[in-house]
Amino acid sequence: MDTGAQDPVVTALSSLVSAGVIRRQLTRESGRRLRWVEAGSAGPAVVLISGAGEVGLDWAVVLPALAERSRVIAYDRAGLGASDPVSRLTLDSQVRDLVALLDSVGPAVLVGHSWGGLLAELAALARPDRTRGVVLVDPFHEDTTAEVPLALRVSSSVFLTALPLLKAIGLFNRVAANMGRELARRCTDDPGTQALVTQAYLASYATYTQVTTIRAENRLANACTPQVRAARAASAVPDVPMRILTATRGTPAALRQRSRDLADRTAALFPRGVHSVVPDSGHYIHKEQPAAVVDAVLAVLAEADAETP
């Protein structure tokens, strides 16, 4: 067992989780490492899947509460955090990594935010036998891309293009420090623990490769529609408990309504799908309204437990 004594993410999360957090990893092709952190022990595993360009630490606000009730796993995708980069980043490589993680940790409830929500869906389609339930937190849907206003698409493209330069001149680190401090503030009021969370966040984006992977994942999201549609057409939706949560602010009204409509459609595909709109929350529901996410995961866990012989 690797306790991750020198891992700043393990140190930070262990300061938030009373029973502590351990580091584990899976060896993939060519010896590359896929790292995750794990807390808790009861019930089926809960695998937390972050949004595009984000890391397992992004779940720090909800992970302690979930670890009290289940075995919780938060992983870094290839090229992000402590996971080694893949030779060629594709939608298929990301789904295969997630499926390999499920094969290693056992059947699990998949909890995905944004881009991670889409990956959770695709993994559930690919391996229904390893899926105990699904929770989608303001998930990305391939059909929203065309609805994004032109000005927002342009500004996002400019920012992504500039990321390597921002890293090189030090501006990215300032942005990351601010984001790390905000995450830490939402986790705890303790200044010492806040400092550990902030340091861990900065460590997750310390290298040039980590930053360029942010750009690569976001560009992948913008170009994945044909592959996602093919995957949906080729697979049946598993009959597992499912919850989908959507936000109420932070995007233009038309885009927000489109996201809700697509969430309704997604929930309807699952025999036990339930869509809930979370009041007073932006895209990062697990940070802004963490209780809503914890409640949704616990509801799915309860249904999954009830089905266990």
Side-chain angles (χ1 to χ4, degrees):
M1 179 185 297
D2 182 357
T3 61
Q6 304 303 316
D7 188 324
V9 172
V10 171
T11 301
L13 290 176
S14 292
S15 71
L16 296 169
V17 178
S18 58
V21 170
I22 58 175
R23 169 183 172 136
R24 297 190 186 278
Q25 65 184 36
L26 181 67
T27 302
R28 302 288 287 134
E29 75 282 353
S30 303
R32 68 177 175 90
R33 299 162 299 172
L34 191 72
R35 190 283 302 266
W36 74 87
V37 293
E38 184 174 321
S41 59
V46 173
V47 174
L48 305 174
I49 311 158
S50 299
E54 294 164 352
V55 292
L57 183 64
D58 197 61
W59 296 95
V61 181
V62 298
L63 190 148
L66 293 175
E68 292 177 1
R69 302 291 295 275
S70 189
R71 177 188 177 203
V72 185
I73 292 154
Y75 79 109
D76 295 335
R77 286 191 297 277
L80 294 168
S83 289
D84 295 331
V86 66
S87 58
R88 180 170 176 264
L89 184 68
T90 64
L91 179 64
D92 183 58
S93 74
Q94 295 205 322
V95 174
R96 283 190 284 106
D97 273 357
L98 178 51
V99 167
L101 177 60
L102 293 177
D103 284 337
S104 178
V105 305
V109 172
L110 303 177
V111 183
H113 168 243
S114 193
W115 175 247
L118 178 64
L119 295 178
E121 282 189 76
L122 296 178
L125 293 176
R127 290 298 300 274
D129 59 313
R130 308 302 279 179
T131 304
R132 296 292 305 277
V134 177
V135 178
L136 307 179
V137 182
D138 215 34
F140 173 86
H141 193 288
E142 67 278 9
D143 288 346
T144 59
T145 304
E147 303 293 330
V148 178
L150 177 60
L152 187 56
R153 289 203 299 266
V154 170
S155 62
S156 176
S157 177
V158 170
F159 176 73
L160 291 173
T161 300
L163 274 178
L165 175 61
L166 295 177
K167 178 65 174 175
I169 64 178
L171 289 180
F172 178 88
N173 291 350
R174 295 184 188 180
V175 174
N178 288 336
M179 294 178 70
R181 283 190 288 268
E182 177 61 18
L183 174 63
R185 184 188 67 77
R186 293 185 181 277
C187 290
T188 177
D189 293 328
D190 178 71
T193 302
Q194 287 181 345
L196 292 175
V197 173
T198 303
Q199 292 165 10
Y201 193 87
L202 284 169
S204 297
Y205 296 105
T207 70
Y208 185 82
T209 296
Q210 290 163 338
V211 173
T212 56
T213 302
I214 299 173
R215 181 176 65 180
E217 282 204 338
N218 278 274
R219 288 179 170 173
L220 186 62
N222 291 332
C224 71
T225 298
Q227 299 98 306
V228 174
R229 287 178 176 169
R232 292 191 193 279
S235 306
V237 173
D239 183 5
V240 294
M242 181 269 201
R243 299 291 186 277
I244 181 167
L245 308 176
T246 53
T248 51
R249 54 179 171 80
T251 56
L255 181 57
R256 192 161 59 248
Q257 185 59 53
R258 178 62 170 161
S259 295
R260 290 182 189 176
D261 293 342
L262 290 169
D264 284 338
R265 183 199 300 177
T266 300
L269 293 173
F270 283 79
R272 287 177 277 168
V274 178
H275 172 211
S276 300
V277 177
V278 180
D280 192 30
S281 181
H283 184 49
Y284 291 87
I285 301 173
H286 53 307
K287 298 177 185 178
E288 299 177 29
Q289 298 292 344
V293 174
V294 171
D295 288 348
V297 176
L298 294 183
V300 167
L301 280 170
E303 286 190 50
D305 284 343
E307 296 171 353
T308 303

